[in-house]
Amino acid sequence: ITADGAVWSWGGGGDGKLGHGDEQPQLLPKKVEAFAAQRVVAVSAGGSHSLAITSDGAVWSWGYGYFGKLGHGDLQDRLLPKKVEALAGQRVV
Protein backbone atom coordinates (compact mmCIF):
# COMPACT_ATOMS: atom_id res chain seq x y z
CA ILE A 1 0.00 0.00 0.00
CA THR A 2 1.36 3.39 -0.93
CA ALA A 3 0.83 6.57 1.10
CA ASP A 4 -2.14 7.54 -1.11
CA GLY A 5 -3.91 4.23 -0.42
CA ALA A 6 -3.10 2.55 -3.72
CA VAL A 7 -2.40 -1.19 -3.85
CA TRP A 8 0.38 -2.68 -5.95
CA SER A 9 1.07 -6.37 -6.56
CA TRP A 10 3.55 -8.55 -8.40
CA GLY A 11 4.75 -12.14 -8.65
CA GLY A 12 2.82 -15.24 -9.66
CA GLY A 13 -0.70 -14.49 -10.83
CA GLY A 14 -2.34 -17.92 -10.55
CA ASP A 15 -6.00 -17.95 -9.45
CA GLY A 16 -6.13 -14.17 -9.92
CA LYS A 17 -4.39 -13.56 -6.61
CA LEU A 18 -2.75 -10.36 -7.87
CA GLY A 19 -6.09 -8.68 -8.59
CA HIS A 20 -5.32 -7.54 -12.14
CA GLY A 21 -8.18 -9.40 -13.86
CA ASP A 22 -6.02 -12.21 -15.21
CA GLU A 23 -3.69 -14.97 -14.06
CA GLN A 24 -0.52 -13.61 -15.63
CA PRO A 25 2.65 -13.21 -13.58
CA GLN A 26 3.86 -9.67 -12.99
CA LEU A 27 7.62 -9.25 -12.96
CA LEU A 28 7.38 -5.65 -11.74
CA PRO A 29 4.98 -3.97 -9.30
CA LYS A 30 1.66 -3.11 -10.99
CA LYS A 31 -1.12 -0.96 -9.55
CA VAL A 32 -4.38 -2.79 -8.78
CA GLU A 33 -6.71 -0.58 -10.80
CA ALA A 34 -9.88 -1.96 -9.17
CA PHE A 35 -9.09 0.32 -6.22
CA ALA A 36 -8.62 3.50 -8.30
CA ALA A 37 -11.58 5.21 -6.60
CA GLN A 38 -10.86 3.75 -3.14
CA ARG A 39 -8.31 4.37 -0.41
CA VAL A 40 -7.01 1.05 0.92
CA VAL A 41 -5.85 1.08 4.54
CA ALA A 42 -4.89 -2.58 5.05
CA VAL A 43 -4.03 -5.64 2.96
CA SER A 44 -3.41 -9.25 3.84
CA ALA A 45 -1.86 -11.36 1.10
CA GLY A 46 -1.80 -15.13 1.33
CA GLY A 47 -0.39 -17.77 -0.95
CA SER A 48 -3.52 -17.94 -3.09
CA HIS A 49 -5.83 -15.07 -2.16
CA SER A 50 -5.80 -11.55 -0.75
CA LEU A 51 -8.02 -9.29 1.33
CA ALA A 52 -8.14 -5.52 1.62
CA ILE A 53 -9.93 -3.04 3.85
CA THR A 54 -10.84 0.34 2.40
CA SER A 55 -11.12 3.60 4.34
CA ASP A 56 -14.92 3.23 4.53
CA GLY A 57 -14.48 -0.07 6.41
CA ALA A 58 -15.45 -2.33 3.49
CA VAL A 59 -13.68 -5.68 3.01
CA TRP A 60 -12.63 -6.82 -0.46
CA SER A 61 -11.24 -10.21 -1.51
CA TRP A 62 -9.81 -11.84 -4.62
CA GLY A 63 -7.91 -14.94 -5.74
CA TYR A 64 -8.57 -18.61 -5.08
CA GLY A 65 -12.12 -19.11 -3.83
CA TYR A 66 -12.11 -22.79 -2.90
CA PHE A 67 -13.64 -23.64 0.50
CA GLY A 68 -15.46 -20.28 0.36
CA LYS A 69 -12.38 -18.49 1.65
CA LEU A 70 -13.21 -15.26 -0.21
CA GLY A 71 -16.45 -14.79 1.72
CA HIS A 72 -18.80 -14.47 -1.26
CA GLY A 73 -20.93 -17.53 -0.51
CA ASP A 74 -19.51 -19.59 -3.35
CA LEU A 75 -16.36 -21.43 -4.43
CA GLN A 76 -15.47 -19.19 -7.38
CA ASP A 77 -12.05 -17.69 -7.96
CA ARG A 78 -12.06 -13.92 -8.37
CA LEU A 79 -9.59 -12.29 -10.76
CA LEU A 80 -10.50 -8.81 -9.51
CA PRO A 81 -11.19 -7.52 -6.02
CA LYS A 82 -14.85 -7.93 -5.03
CA LYS A 83 -16.54 -6.38 -2.01
CA VAL A 84 -17.59 -8.93 0.62
CA GLU A 85 -21.30 -8.10 0.78
CA ALA A 86 -21.89 -10.32 3.83
CA LEU A 87 -20.05 -7.65 5.83
CA ALA A 88 -22.00 -4.71 4.37
CA GLY A 89 -23.02 -2.34 7.13
CA GLN A 90 -20.15 -3.48 9.34
CA ARG A 91 -17.19 -1.16 9.78
CA VAL A 92 -14.18 -3.44 9.76
CA VAL A 93 -10.93 -2.09 11.18
Side-chain angles (χ1 to χ4, degrees), residues 49 51 61 64-76 84:
H49 70 292
L51 296 156
S61 65
Y64 188 54
Y66 197 65
F67 297 117
K69 66 174 83 177
L70 298 180
H72 301 296
D74 59 31
L75 306 177
Q76 294 181 7
V84 179

Side-chain angles (χ1 to χ4, degrees), residues 1-91:
I1 303 173
T2 55
D4 63 353
V7 175
W8 296 71
S9 64
W10 61 95
D15 305 311
K17 65 185 166 196
L18 297 180
H20 298 297
D22 57 32
E23 297 186 60
Q24 299 300 310
Q26 294 296 321
L27 301 180
L28 296 170
K30 181 178 178 181
K31 191 174 190 176
V32 178
E33 295 297 337
F35 291 117
Q38 301 281 336
R39 179 177 174 78
V40 175
V41 297
V43 170
S44 180
S48 61
H49 70 292
S50 298
L51 296 156
I53 300 174
T54 50
S55 60
D56 61 356
V59 177
W60 300 72
S61 65
W62 63 98
Y64 188 54
Y66 197 65
F67 297 117
K69 66 174 83 177
L70 298 180
H72 301 296
D74 59 31
L75 306 177
Q76 294 181 7
D77 297 346
R78 295 292 195 286
L79 302 182
L80 291 168
K82 179 181 167 103
K83 188 185 286 189
V84 179
E85 296 297 338
L87 294 172
Q90 301 294 318
R91 180 161 170 76

